[in-house]
């Protein structure tokens, strides 16, 4: 075993083996794996081995397809049998709502290049006669599904990695991790071959530049060695294997299908062949965490005691939906632990503040996602970018607020919803009120309907009558008319919105201006001003969308504020700290919820704030994008002349202890103008009025600024900044796609449905009707009285008059490309 390596992968399950293989494939050969027992001796060995491409996040779905298609390659490379059974798969819907979900998944598959087909319950029964079609309203068939041998796949990855120069070491336990003086990592290791006999041999230290925590069931313990408390938890998971099924032989003789793999959304179960038997698994609602506090290092290739009572309700449904289970006996019950993150997606990528520390854990669906995780990680480590949109898997989507008790509650909730629909407007109930702002009680009194963003409770809209809750749907909810009233209040008079959920960073120090100029693509504003700026990675793609403010004290010392998306706080902090100069000339403070905010907007916004300030608020004295320290009433605050509504407005920032007073003062001053609170739904509606994009929808690391219509904020002539050369090359080459805005016929009455994102965009041209793009976000622009969609299409179609259509919940809707936003296209209102 080597004592030094460029990369050490900790953990010999399917995910760790995939990371090792993809690193070697990328050309990094000084890489090694350490596994404290045999390969697969965590969760991998007892996995049911299912693989599928369906995922609520289309970017994760695309990587799952990559994983499925990779198995033939690694089998051929390694010479190890992966037990590949490409059976195709059926997703069964027992209600119209679940069929709508499948229609939406099928539509997403159009622009992802997936091979799916919507079929009737009768057709599903013809494919798999073991199901009772009377329980279902339809199904989706997916060509790229099946199952593999988990052990075979893991060993194939490892063998293929070794053939490319990687090293695999078994019975090597990393029991401690420390930082070397030069910033590299020391992994302290023991030989565990005599561990069960109480014999431990110290193997010393492996020094490495990078290490990957692919520890699976022990990922928490590995994280704790560096002071991390990872938001992952293992859950017990059970599946059954029947006695031999004589009917399978008859089915194989008559069927043209190579096998079958079935997911029953309503029953929350999955079923497939297992040799000459059947396998039935379930995600019960009353799931039980395993080892919730600490994972025993002595646990290995072991199973847990089955508890059929716990899954009895699911089995009852399964036996009704698949009557063949009433005719055959159960041979085995498998109960084993798998790890989950709070939202069910993996935790991957670099660790904030610990250069060289990488995560590849919480990958519950390792046989579906392991290949994509390995590819993304290898790209990220070797090229500095994952090469794909992995926002849904990036560990930075969670912050320190994802505490163990929060994680426990959300993992259990997510486990029980594994096959349940989460509607686009649905807010899940567990671990709520985890973080609240100082005015939470006041907003609750106003009947706020709450959502959660980056752990913080945020108002979505304010119910005027009845209980403060929203009907969940793929179409329009009971919020529709109320949100329209909130928008009208802003457009006609004045409204107020809480901005505490925004990310806020303070930058100080003698090198602050120079560092920001290097970090961001736009010119950094002078004191007293704000500027909008993208942040680019070294590939010239968008990794941030910020408002930057500059302030200076009486002695001329500058400080800067950066405001951005709250959900990306840790993602951006990680990048800031990675790029921070080491000479101490720049200081970063993440303000978090200690700095709270309120925004007022609308034609009467100036009149409201004028009652509470002692400086000239005229347009000439305090114009658009001006920024200053002052007082609002008795509250010391920063005031910026900007809002995301596209209207006249102000953002006001103050310490958390002052926010209730600020709120009360603004509400009192606005009473004569009928000031009204509005929530995130109304804010979205108003951005669609303007055709504006937003972080994590239109602005993501797979898009460049020229595609996203942000090129005007990229100042190539200002000097060197991160991504400048790449951006210049992208500009010279010209964008291959463009962000465009559509209005759409959304239908009427109960059938009316607006875009939510990820719908395919169809174009009628000489070659007929084809899918050319996708919607990134959409909704109803109430002031403009339009159903709107924003999305990307190839540049050659970006100026086309169409005809265009957008597929919304399975229905083709006529769309019209807009040359300018429907509301205030010149921006006169926000500048007046």
């Amino acid at each position: 075993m080597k004592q030094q390596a460029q990369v050490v992968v900790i953990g010999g399950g399917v995910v760790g083996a995939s990371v090792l293989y993809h690193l070697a494939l990328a050309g990094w050969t000084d890489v090694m794996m350490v596994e404290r027992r045999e390969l697969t001796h965590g969760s991998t060995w007892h996995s049911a081995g299912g693989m599928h491409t369906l995922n609520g996040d289309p970017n994760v779905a695309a990587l799952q397809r990559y994983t499925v298609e990779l198995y033939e390659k690694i089998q051929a490379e390694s010479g190890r049998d992966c037990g590949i059974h490409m059976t195709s798969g059926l997703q069964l819907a027992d209600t119209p709502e679940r069929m709508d979900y499948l229609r939406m998944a099928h539509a997403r598959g159009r622009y992802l290049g997936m091979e799916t087909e919507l079929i009737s319950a009768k057709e599903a029964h013809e494919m798999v006669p073991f199901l009772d079609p009377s329980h279902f309203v339809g199904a989706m068939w997916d060509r790229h599904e099946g199952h593999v041998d988990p052990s075979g796949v893991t060993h194939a990855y490892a063998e293929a990695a070794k053939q490319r120069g990687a090293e695999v070491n078994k019975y090597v336990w990393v029991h401690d991790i420390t930082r070397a003086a030069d910033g590299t990592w020391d992994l302290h290791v023991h030989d565990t071959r005599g561990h069960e006999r109480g014999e431990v041999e110290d193997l010393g230290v492996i020094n490495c530049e990078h290490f990957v925590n692919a520890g699976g069931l022990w990922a928490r313990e590995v994280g704790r060695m560096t002071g991390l408390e990872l938001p992952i938890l293992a859950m017990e998971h059970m599946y059954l294997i029947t006695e031999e099924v004589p009917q399978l032989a008859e089915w194989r003789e008559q069927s043209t299908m190579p096998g079958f793999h079935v997911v029953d959304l309503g029953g929350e179960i999955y079923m497939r062949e297992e040799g000459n038997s059947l396998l039935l698994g379930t995600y019960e609602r009353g799931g039980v965490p395993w080892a919730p506090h600490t994972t025993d290092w002595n646990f290995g290739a072991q199973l847990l005691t089955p508890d059929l009572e716990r899954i009895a309700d699911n089995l009852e449904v399964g036996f009704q939906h698949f009557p063949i289970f009433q005719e055959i006996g159960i041979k085995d019950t498998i109960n084993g632990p798998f790890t989950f993150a709070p939202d069910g997606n993996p935790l991957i990528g670099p660790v904030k503040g610990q250069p060289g520390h990488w995560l590849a854990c919480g990958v519950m669906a390792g046989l579906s996602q392991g290949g994509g995780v390995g590819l993304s990680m290898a790209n990220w480590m070797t090229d500095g970018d994952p090469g794909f949109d992995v926002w849904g898997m990036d560990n930075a989507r969670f912050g320190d607020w994802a505490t163990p008790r929060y994680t426990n509650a959300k993992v259990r909730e997510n486990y029980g919803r594994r096959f349940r629909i989460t509607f686009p407007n649905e807010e899940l109930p567990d671990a709520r009120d985890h973080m609240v702002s100082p005015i939470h009680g006041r907003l609750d009194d106003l009947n706020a309907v709450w959502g959660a963003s980056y752990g913080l409770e945020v108002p979505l809209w304010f119910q005027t009558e009845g209980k403060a809750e929203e009907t969940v749907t793929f179409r329009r909810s009971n919020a529709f008319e109320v949100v329209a009233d909130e928008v009208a209040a802003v457009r006609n008079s004045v409204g107020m919105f809480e901005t505490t959920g925004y990310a806020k960073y303070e930058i100080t120090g003698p090198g602050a201006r120079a560092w920001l100029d290097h970090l961001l693509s736009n010119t950094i504003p002078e004191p007293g001003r704000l500027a909008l700026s993208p942040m680019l990675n070294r590939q010239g793609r968008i990794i941030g969308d910020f408002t930057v403010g500059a302030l200076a004290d009486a002695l001329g010392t500058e400080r800067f504020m950066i405001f951005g998306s709250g959900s990306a706080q840790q993602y951006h902090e990680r990048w800031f700290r990675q790029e921070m100069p080491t000479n101490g000339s720049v200081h970063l403070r993440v303000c978090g919820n200690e700095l709270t905010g309120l925004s007022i907007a609308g034609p009467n916004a100036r009149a409201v704030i004028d009652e509470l300030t002692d400086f000239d608020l005229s347009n000439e004295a305090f114009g658009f994008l001006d920024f200053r320290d002052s007082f609002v009433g008795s509250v010391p605050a920063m005031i910026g002349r900007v809002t995301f509504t596209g209207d006249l407005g102000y953002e006001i920032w103050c310490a958390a202890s002052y926010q209730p007073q600020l709120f009360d003062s603004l509400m009192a001053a606005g009473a004569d103008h009928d000031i009204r609170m509005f929530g995130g739904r109304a804010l979205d509606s108003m951005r669609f009025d303007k055709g504006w994009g937003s972080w994590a929808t239109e602005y993501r690391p797979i898009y460049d600024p020229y595609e996203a219509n942000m090129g005007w904020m990229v100042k190539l002539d200002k000097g060197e900044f991160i991504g400048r050369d790449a951006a210049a090359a992208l500009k010279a080459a010209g964008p291959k796609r463009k962000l465009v805005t559509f209005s759409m016929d959304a239908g009427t009455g109960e059938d009316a449905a607006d875009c939510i994102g990820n719908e395919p965009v169809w174009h009628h041209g000489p070659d007929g009707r084809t899918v050319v793009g996708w919607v990134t976000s959409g909704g109803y622009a109430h002031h403009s009285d339009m159903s709107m969609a924003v999305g990307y299409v190839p540049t050659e179609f970006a100026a086309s008059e169409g005809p265009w259509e957008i597929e919304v919940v399975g229905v083709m809707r006529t769309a019209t490309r807009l040359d300018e936003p429907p509301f205030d296209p010149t921006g006169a209102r926000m500048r007046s």
Side-chain angles (χ1 to χ4, degrees):
M1 182 185 72
K2 296 189 294 186
Q3 298 300 307
Q4 191 161 9
Q6 185 177 12
V7 184
V8 177
V9 178
I10 301 174
V14 67
V15 174
S18 173
V19 173
L20 187 76
Y21 166 74
H22 282 93
L23 283 169
L25 185 66
W28 279 19
T29 56
D30 186 17
V31 295
M32 62 189 294
M33 171 195 286
V34 291
E35 159 56 44
R36 71 184 201 23
R37 290 203 174 176
E38 291 283 349
L39 301 189
T40 78
H41 274 206
S43 295
T44 301
W45 76 275
H46 60 73
S47 167
M51 53 181 181
H52 53 86
T53 57
L54 183 66
N55 190 285
D57 184 332
N59 302 292
V60 176
L63 287 171
Q64 289 182 188
R65 177 172 175 176
Y66 166 81
T67 302
V68 171
E69 294 178 344
L70 178 64
Y71 289 135
E72 292 282 0
K73 177 183 178 182
I74 62 165
Q75 180 172 267
E77 278 192 33
S78 66
R80 299 293 294 259
D81 184 6
C82 292
I84 303 168
H85 295 84
M86 291 303 300
T87 61
S88 74
L90 287 176
Q91 310 279 336
L92 300 172
D94 63 332
T95 65
E97 291 77 16
R98 290 191 175 97
M99 196 64 212
D100 280 344
Y101 171 76
L102 293 180
R103 290 188 184 99
M104 296 168 72
H106 174 61
R108 286 197 303 269
R110 295 189 195 277
Y111 69 79
L112 292 171
M114 295 182 179
E115 297 177 75
T116 61
E117 182 180 344
L118 297 175
I119 61 175
S120 67
K122 179 182 177 182
E123 290 171 311
H125 179 251
E126 290 170 355
M127 288 181 173
V128 182
F130 308 121
L131 63 88
D132 181 351
S134 68
H135 293 289
F136 305 103
V137 298
M140 185 178 76
W141 173 81
D142 185 347
R143 178 181 295 278
H144 297 276
E145 290 199 10
H147 60 275
V148 289
D149 170 24
S151 178
V153 166
T154 305
H155 284 88
Y157 277 132
E159 181 60 34
K162 288 193 291 185
Q163 291 174 8
R164 293 179 179 273
E167 182 178 296
V168 175
N169 297 282
K170 296 183 291 184
Y171 293 95
V172 176
W173 172 33
V174 177
H175 65 87
D176 194 16
I177 300 172
T178 57
R179 202 70 183 269
D182 62 357
T184 58
W185 295 94
D186 287 335
L187 311 183
H188 302 258
V189 291
H190 284 164
D191 184 329
T192 62
R193 282 173 293 186
H195 192 267
E196 293 179 355
R197 301 189 301 273
E199 300 171 4
V200 176
E201 179 184 352
D202 188 354
L203 297 177
V205 171
I206 305 172
N207 178 260
C208 57
E209 182 181 350
H210 304 271
F211 75 92
V212 180
N213 179 355
L217 295 174
W218 295 268
R220 278 180 316 184
E221 278 64 33
V222 174
R224 286 168 181 165
M225 295 176 192
T226 70
L228 283 183
E229 188 63 46
L230 295 177
I232 52 176
L233 177 71
M235 296 290 291
E236 295 188 17
H237 178 68
M238 282 180 278
Y239 62 87
L240 314 177
I241 299 175
T242 71
E243 296 173 347
E244 289 197 1
V245 182
Q247 295 92 325
L248 276 173
E250 180 182 349
W251 175 82
R252 287 169 179 152
E253 289 179 4
Q254 298 175 356
S255 176
T256 59
M257 294 177 63
F260 57 84
H261 185 276
V262 179
V263 171
D264 176 358
L265 297 175
E268 300 174 331
I269 53 182
Y270 58 91
M271 186 267 287
R272 67 165 175 83
E273 301 166 272
E274 175 66 19
N276 293 318
S277 302
L278 292 175
L279 182 152
L280 177 73
T282 180
Y283 290 87
E284 71 277 11
R285 299 191 184 186
V288 172
W290 178 78
H293 305 297
T294 304
T295 305
D296 186 350
W297 288 107
N298 290 317
F299 188 81
Q302 300 162 242
L303 292 174
L304 309 177
T305 303
D307 181 4
L308 292 180
E309 277 297 312
R310 196 168 73 235
I311 62 173
D313 291 344
N314 298 73
L315 293 181
E316 183 178 354
V317 174
F319 284 24
Q320 292 173 2
H321 289 190
F322 304 96
I324 193 170
F325 285 98
Q326 301 174 27
E327 305 173 19
I328 52 178
I330 303 301
K331 181 174 63 176
D332 290 311
T333 301
I334 309 300
N335 185 15
F338 292 92
T339 55
F340 292 77
D343 60 2
N345 277 339
L347 296 177
I348 72 170
V351 173
K352 178 194 73 175
Q354 297 189 7
H357 182 177
W358 301 79
L359 301 181
C361 51
V363 189
M364 189 286 303
L367 278 306
S368 291
Q369 298 175 340
V373 166
L375 176 62
S376 300
M377 289 286 291
N379 288 343
W380 216 335
M381 296 174 74
T382 61
D383 296 335
D385 185 83
F388 303 92
D389 191 335
V390 298
W391 174 252
M393 298 191 291
D394 192 328
N395 72 89
R397 69 191 188 277
F398 297 109
D400 295 340
W401 48 268
T403 61
R405 285 181 181 266
Y406 171 92
T407 297
N408 188 297
K410 296 305 286 187
V411 166
R412 285 186 287 114
E413 178 183 58
N414 178 270
Y415 181 89
R417 298 181 61 92
R418 180 69 181 166
F419 290 144
R420 293 175 67 186
I421 298 171
T422 299
F423 289 89
N425 67 330
E426 185 173 7
E427 296 290 330
L428 302 184
D430 288 359
R432 297 302 298 272
D433 289 348
H434 185 58
M435 293 192 295
V436 299
S437 76
I439 61 170
H440 181 270
R442 286 166 166 78
L443 301 185
D444 215 37
D445 290 343
L446 292 173
N447 221 13
V449 179
W450 295 100
S453 177
Y454 202 64
L456 178 71
E457 294 293 304
V458 294
L460 301 175
W461 55 287
F462 292 82
Q463 177 64 280
T464 52
E465 296 179 2
K467 189 177 179 182
E469 63 182 22
E470 184 168 359
T471 54
V472 295
T473 177
F474 289 123
R475 293 172 173 80
R476 291 175 179 168
S477 76
N478 58 324
F480 188 80
E481 297 297 339
V482 181
V483 171
D485 291 342
E486 292 178 10
V487 170
V490 175
R491 293 291 187 235
N492 298 328
S493 183
V494 63
M496 185 158 64
F497 174 76
E498 186 183 16
T499 56
T500 300
Y502 290 9
K504 292 102 34 191
Y505 316 89
E506 182 184 61
I507 315 297
T508 56
R513 176 174 288 276
W515 178 67
L516 285 172
D517 205 36
H518 175 69
L519 189 76
L520 304 177
S521 67
N522 203 352
T523 303
I524 305 305
E526 293 302 314
R529 292 287 291 166
L530 297 163
L532 309 178
S533 180
M535 182 168 69
L536 308 180
N537 61 17
R538 287 175 172 78
Q539 290 74 30
R541 302 196 180 275
I542 303 165
I543 57 170
D545 168 38
F546 299 115
T547 301
V548 185
L551 297 166
D553 63 20
L555 298 177
T557 302
E558 291 185 319
R559 65 185 175 98
F560 300 88
M561 297 299 303
I562 298 179
F563 304 101
S565 170
S567 62
Q569 178 178 298
Q570 183 146 306
Y571 174 80
H572 289 137
E573 182 192 353
R574 183 177 67 193
W575 182 263
F576 294 160
R577 296 199 184 281
Q578 174 186 312
E579 301 299 328
M580 193 79 68
T582 58
N583 60 7
S585 63
V586 178
H587 307 287
L588 166 68
R589 181 171 76 93
V590 179
C591 302
N593 298 329
E594 296 175 4
L595 183 63
T596 59
L598 289 165
S599 174
I600 61 171
N604 289 323
R606 181 181 285 115
V608 172
I609 198 171
D610 192 45
E611 292 189 25
L612 300 170
T613 54
D614 296 326
F615 66 93
D616 187 355
L617 282 172
S618 68
N619 201 43
E620 294 73 26
F622 195 66
F624 181 60
L625 295 181
D626 275 353
F627 187 50
R628 67 181 294 169
D629 270 326
S630 188
F631 298 92
V632 179
S634 300
V635 174
M638 293 178 289
I639 307 171
R641 172 78 186 278
V642 66
T643 77
F644 199 43
T645 65
D647 223 310
L648 168 67
Y650 305 85
E651 289 180 355
I652 307 165
W653 304 96
C654 68
S657 55
Y658 285 111
Q659 193 192 27
Q661 183 185 162
L662 177 65
F663 174 85
D664 293 342
S665 297
L666 288 168
M667 290 295 281
D672 290 342
H673 302 281
D674 296 321
I675 192 170
R676 177 169 178 165
M677 289 301 302
F678 66 94
R681 297 280 166 74
L683 188 67
D684 247 357
S685 176
M686 288 183 276
R687 83 167 171 94
F688 291 128
D689 273 335
K690 297 289 291 180
W692 283 346
S694 179
W695 174 255
T697 53
E698 289 69 43
Y699 309 141
R700 297 177 75 128
I702 57 171
Y703 304 125
D704 72 54
Y706 305 102
E707 295 172 330
N709 302 324
M710 301 176 81
W712 64 277
M713 291 185 282
V714 178
K715 307 300 185 187
L716 297 174
D717 59 353
K718 76 167 187 170
E720 184 60 36
F721 60 89
I722 296 172
R724 179 193 176 280
D725 292 344
L730 289 166
K731 182 180 181 180
K736 294 181 180 180
R737 56 193 171 195
K738 291 289 288 184
L739 185 64
V740 296
T741 302
F742 296 96
S743 64
M744 185 187 72
D745 176 9
T748 59
E750 293 182 357
D751 291 329
D754 304 297
C755 289
I756 58 172
N758 298 317
E759 293 87 356
V761 176
W762 295 76
H763 180 265
H764 294 249
D767 298 327
R769 185 176 72 175
T770 56
V771 173
V772 297
W774 60 93
V775 172
T776 46
S777 63
Y780 200 80
H782 287 279
H783 180 77
S784 303
D785 196 22
M786 290 182 180
S787 185
M788 304 282 288
V790 184
Y792 285 90
V793 302
T795 302
E796 60 266 30
F797 297 112
S800 171
E801 297 301 320
W804 296 93
E805 289 181 298
I806 300 175
E807 188 175 357
V808 183
V809 198
V811 178
M812 293 296 185
R813 306 284 189 176
T814 301
T816 302
R817 186 189 55 79
L818 302 180
D819 289 319
E820 61 181 21
F823 172 73
D824 190 27
T826 65
R829 290 261 299 232
M830 61 186 179
R831 291 178 171 85
S832 62

